[in-house]
Amino acid sequence: MKIFNIESKCRQISATKQALVSASINEDLGSIARAVRHLDNTQLSGFAVILFKIMSVVIRLFFGNPAKINRLLNEDKHTKEILKCSRKFSQLADFQKHIKHPFIITAGKVDTIATRYQLKAYKARIFSQRIDDLKTLFRAPSSDNERKALYSSTPEKLLKLLRNTADMYAPPETQVEMTAQNFDIWLTKLSALKDAYGMSALDQLSELYKKKCNVLFEITRLRVLQNKLSSKELNESVEELTKEFIDTTKTYPPHAEIERETLGSIISNALASLEENTLSKIDSLVKDLINSVYDEFALHQVSAERLLPLIPKEEIAKPLSVTMIGAEFTGFVKEGGLAEALEGMTKGLKAQNQENKVRVILPNFSTFPASIKEKISLNPPLNFQTAEGVEYSVSILNQDGIDFYLINHPCFKLKGEKASIYGPDDETVKRRFVTFTNLAADLAKRTPTDVIHLHDWHVAGVALKLKKENPKNWKTGTVPPIVFTYHNNSRGAQGRLSSSGIYNYDSVVQGLIEAGIASEKVNVFAEVLKVADCVTTVSETFAIESQEVETGEGVSFAVREAARMGKLTGIINGSNPHSWNPEEDNTLKHWRGSDGSEIDLSYHPNLSPLKISSKKIFG
């Protein structure tokens, strides 16, 4: 079995599909094309598929469950369906202009059935628009070059449809082959063919394809709903509607043996059927289902206020034990706003209730201030060993009522004049943060706590490791619930930067894979949103923006899913009077605007809202 590298092949296909999902949701056509090319290289040959099917039967008969092989075959089948859709997209004229989301994504996966119907809808739209272009060309003076250009860019299937229609009304002896040179003659014939209401054949065809496009988009939507609900009744309704639609449109284009007089009625009947029957049934079905399903691109409520009525007051009053895990903390190590956010949150929890037990797990970086190092040295460290046999020690420091658990390890010794916790090179950063992930997860398991609170990409792997190693304990609640806060959703914050140097987290993601924490090369940011029990971010506005495709940095699907499940809450960052007090800080005391005028930044809780709003913030 090892000869075939089944698990490796599955991981490769799955990772490539994940790249396709992110690129499609982010409307990045270049990345979509690259992902499709990679998928093309991962698909199994026909011989390999037959061989694996034989192996699956043999294993089922003599050895047990061939789950790994079946998974690979299913992955490969799905891959081939994606590639088939992709080839059809590439054959579509001007497809980049018409297609906003090339692939339909349902629950973070490519939905090939819905994608195929969407493809048909785009094709019908293109046909309708091309017919309108032909009508414009016929009505306005045009040159030979314009006619040739339009003829050559018109899909062959549409040209055939136009030929069949015009031929039915022309006497056999006058029928000639359609070419670029005589294209205007054919358009004259089609414009002259009118039904009882004075509608020309071109107008009717354009209208028919517009209706067809609308129906196909509705069927696409129904397919997405169908996959979400997995309802037998819905499946039957969608199948019936789809068949009815296909049967209705099969009567056009007409066959040569149809009487000329019946042509107008065929198109009119097809239009009427689409309008009165299929579309009305679809509208009715969608209305019935709208309360049972969710829109893949809908934004969800994320305010903290929505949660307050759900929490009993006595629970809020109870003391809480929280273990924070992060890489920065003001007064210890600070390279960005994360340090201040972590400081403010811990002090806020303590100020809220002095009985709250607040712990912070940090790497014991060698660049800590001398005053902190001196306090740490007063107490001997505690020694531990992980299940894998890795030895480490923890220094404990209590400051301002907060317990700091500082993990000691050679990886946390920083070198250089301007030493950074995110440098000096990829390999060092990988080793540093993978080590911290492993040791912080081990320490968190040993620490009695009500909640484990993780901050940003640096420690996202802690949640993955705890869930992977303790699946039963996670479900029973033996492993405490995990809160994950993202302070940034950019590609860098997801470990997706491709350039080398500082803040390049690709190496960290690779390190998590090598350590077995991330089992596949997937987006770690998206994965931690799935496994966390609760997700928060820096404001309600940012929580909404993170759900939107345009500002979701390619992972909006995962954020929307977390919001839909009620896991995501936007909690605005508060002010930090400890570090930034306008009444004490000399810089803030004399803050001036761009025009040189002094600005009063003072603020205190007793200041009236009217006074606050009247303050001149910008000069």
Side-chain angles (χ1 to χ4, degrees):
M1 292 290 289
K2 290 183 180 178
I3 298 173
F4 296 100
N5 268 329
I6 294 172
E7 287 189 5
S8 174
K9 190 70 174 176
C10 278
R11 283 198 298 270
Q12 183 187 7
I13 296 173
S14 182
T16 310
K17 283 183 188 174
Q18 186 66 35
L20 178 61
V21 167
S22 294
S24 186
I25 287 175
N26 212 34
E27 299 174 32
D28 186 345
L29 292 175
S31 296
I32 288 171
R34 286 193 293 276
V36 168
R37 285 198 297 272
H38 289 319
L39 268 184
D40 199 11
N41 294 330
T42 63
Q43 66 175 319
L44 300 175
S45 66
F47 173 75
V49 170
I50 293 170
L51 182 61
F52 279 122
K53 284 183 176 178
I54 294 171
M55 289 174 61
S56 176
V57 172
V58 171
I59 291 172
R60 187 180 292 108
L61 289 174
F62 299 103
F63 301 105
N65 185 8
K68 292 180 181 178
I69 291 180
N70 290 343
R71 181 191 166 199
L72 177 59
L73 289 171
N74 287 333
E75 290 275 18
D76 183 65
K77 182 181 177 183
H78 191 226
T79 295
K80 286 179 167 60
E81 289 172 354
I82 293 172
L83 292 171
K84 187 177 179 182
C85 289
S86 177
R87 282 190 286 272
K88 287 185 178 292
F89 278 128
S90 63
Q91 293 163 6
L92 212 56
D94 299 328
F95 83 97
Q96 290 195 18
K97 186 173 79 176
H98 295 275
I99 298 174
K100 190 177 180 183
H101 298 281
F103 290 95
I104 296 288
I105 310 300
T106 305
K109 294 181 180 179
V110 178
D111 186 333
T112 53
I113 295 175
T115 296
R116 283 202 297 272
Y117 279 100
Q118 177 182 247
L119 177 64
K120 291 175 185 288
Y122 282 125
K123 193 172 181 180
R125 178 186 288 175
I126 289 171
F127 274 28
S128 173
Q129 290 179 354
R130 184 47 51 90
I131 293 169
D132 289 342
D133 292 341
L134 294 175
K135 290 191 296 184
T136 304
L137 179 71
F138 171 71
R139 288 167 186 160
S142 57
S143 65
D144 288 343
N145 288 337
E146 285 176 324
R147 283 196 299 273
K148 286 178 182 177
L150 192 58
Y151 180 85
S152 61
S153 61
T154 300
E156 179 58 35
K157 186 175 180 181
L158 182 54
L159 288 174
K160 184 179 178 182
L161 174 62
L162 296 173
R163 281 196 298 269
N164 286 352
T165 305
D167 274 345
M168 291 184 63
Y169 278 83
E173 63 273 11
T174 64
Q175 293 178 3
V176 294
E177 185 182 355
M178 181 187 287
T179 64
Q181 286 71 28
N182 63 15
F183 199 26
D184 55 342
I185 298 173
W186 286 85
L187 294 179
T188 303
K189 289 181 182 180
L190 290 164
S191 298
L193 299 176
K194 298 183 186 278
D195 65 6
Y197 303 100
M199 242 183 128
S200 74
L202 282 177
D203 290 329
Q204 291 184 68
L205 285 171
S206 174
E207 188 67 18
L208 179 62
Y209 276 107
K210 282 174 186 171
K211 293 293 182 186
K212 187 174 180 180
C213 174
N214 291 339
V215 173
L216 283 164
F217 274 127
E218 290 298 337
I219 289 178
T220 302
R221 185 182 180 193
L222 280 174
R223 287 284 174 179
V224 173
L225 304 184
Q226 177 185 354
N227 287 343
K228 290 177 187 296
L229 285 181
S230 300
S231 159
K232 183 181 177 183
E233 185 180 344
L234 175 59
N235 288 348
E236 291 172 353
S237 298
V238 173
E239 292 298 337
E240 183 183 334
L241 279 168
T242 306
K243 184 177 182 302
E244 179 180 314
F245 169 70
I246 292 170
D247 290 344
T248 301
T249 53
K250 260 184 183 175
T251 57
Y252 208 86
H255 303 290
E257 61 270 14
I258 295 177
E259 294 287 335
R260 294 182 206 166
E261 293 76 20
T262 62
L263 178 62
S265 63
I266 288 175
I267 303 176
S268 299
N269 289 340
L271 285 171
S273 178
L274 288 178
E275 184 68 45
E276 296 170 17
N277 299 324
T278 313
L279 275 176
S280 62
K281 286 181 181 178
I282 287 176
D283 285 342
S284 174
L285 187 58
V286 169
K287 284 176 185 175
D288 290 342
L289 297 170
I290 205 67
N291 294 324
S292 306
V293 298
Y294 62 94
D295 181 352
E296 191 69 29
F297 293 97
L299 306 184
H300 303 274
Q301 189 182 10
V302 289
S303 67
E305 286 77 11
R306 82 188 196 285
L307 301 177
L308 292 177
L310 306 176
I311 307 172
K313 289 182 180 178
E314 56 271 21
E315 288 296 323
I316 295 176
K318 284 181 182 178
L320 188 66
S321 174
V322 181
T323 298
M324 301 269 188
I325 304 179
E328 300 181 30
F329 196 98
T330 301
F332 289 75
V333 59
K334 179 180 183 298
E335 296 205 19
L338 174 63
E340 289 190 15
L342 208 56
E343 178 204 19
M345 221 173 285
T346 52
K347 289 183 176 178
L349 275 169
K350 198 66 184 174
Q352 188 182 50
N353 187 335
Q354 286 299 312
E355 292 185 34
N356 284 345
K357 182 76 174 173
V358 185
R359 305 177 188 84
V360 179
I361 296 177
L362 286 171
N364 192 356
F365 288 119
S366 58
T367 53
F368 283 176
S371 58
I372 295 291
K373 289 181 179 179
E374 186 179 346
K375 291 177 183 177
I376 292 171
S377 65
L378 298 177
N379 297 309
L382 303 176
N383 297 311
F384 299 102
Q385 187 179 66
T386 68
E388 296 80 17
V390 178
E391 295 182 351
Y392 68 100
S393 64
V394 177
S395 298
I396 300 177
L397 169 66
N398 184 280
Q399 186 164 284
D400 299 323
I402 298 163
D403 289 328
F404 291 88
Y405 285 46
L406 308 168
I407 299 177
N408 302 303
H409 192 276
C411 285
F412 307 143
K413 290 182 179 178
L414 309 181
K415 298 176 182 177
E417 253 182 65
K418 296 182 179 179
S420 168
I421 65 174
Y422 306 115
D425 54 67
D426 291 351
E427 192 58 36
T428 303
V429 173
K430 176 173 84 170
R431 191 164 58 252
R432 180 177 299 144
F433 283 105
V434 172
T435 298
F436 182 48
T437 296
N438 276 312
L439 301 185
D442 184 77
L443 183 58
K445 277 196 300 184
R446 300 171 184 273
T447 308
T449 188
D450 295 324
V451 178
I452 297 172
H453 193 160
L454 310 176
H455 293 266
D456 263 357
W457 70 269
H458 322 73
V459 291
V462 172
L464 304 183
K465 183 175 174 67
L466 286 174
K467 182 173 184 181
K468 187 174 182 179
E469 293 183 355
N470 307 274
K472 290 182 181 178
N473 293 343
W474 188 291
K475 289 178 181 177
T476 58
T478 309
V479 173
I482 289 182
V483 176
F484 176 71
T485 296
Y486 63 93
H487 300 262
N488 189 344
N489 72 333
S490 69
R491 279 161 169 68
Q494 300 169 30
R496 292 173 61 195
L497 285 183
S498 55
S499 58
S500 60
I502 197 166
Y503 292 106
N504 174 27
Y505 313 141
D506 281 340
S507 58
V508 177
V509 176
Q510 187 57 44
L512 293 175
I513 295 164
E514 292 169 4
I517 296 169
S519 58
E520 297 175 358
K521 191 168 185 179
V522 295
N523 189 305
V524 174
F525 183 92
E527 286 300 296
V528 76
L529 293 186
K530 289 180 188 176
V531 303
D533 298 282
C534 178
V535 181
T536 71
T537 190
V538 297
S539 72
E540 186 177 342
T541 302
F542 187 55
I544 296 289
E545 290 175 352
S546 304
Q547 295 180 59
E548 294 178 338
V549 172
E550 292 78 8
T551 49
E553 296 287 353
V555 288
S556 61
F557 71 94
V559 180
R560 283 194 300 275
E561 182 64 11
R564 185 191 70 79
M565 295 173 68
K567 294 201 300 184
L568 176 62
T569 303
I571 303 173
I572 194 164
N573 278 344
S575 57
N576 187 349
H578 308 288
S579 304
W580 305 97
N581 189 338
E583 294 179 356
E584 296 177 4
D585 188 281
N586 285 327
T587 303
L588 298 179
K589 234 187 238 186
H590 307 290
W591 194 263
R592 292 186 180 277
S594 57
D595 60 356
S597 61
E598 192 165 310
I599 299 174
D600 180 14
L601 295 177
S602 63
Y603 167 80
H604 56 82
N606 297 326
L607 207 61
S608 71
L610 186 63
K611 181 69 174 173
I612 293 171
S613 63
S614 67
K615 279 180 174 293
K616 185 180 178 184
I617 302 301
F618 299 104

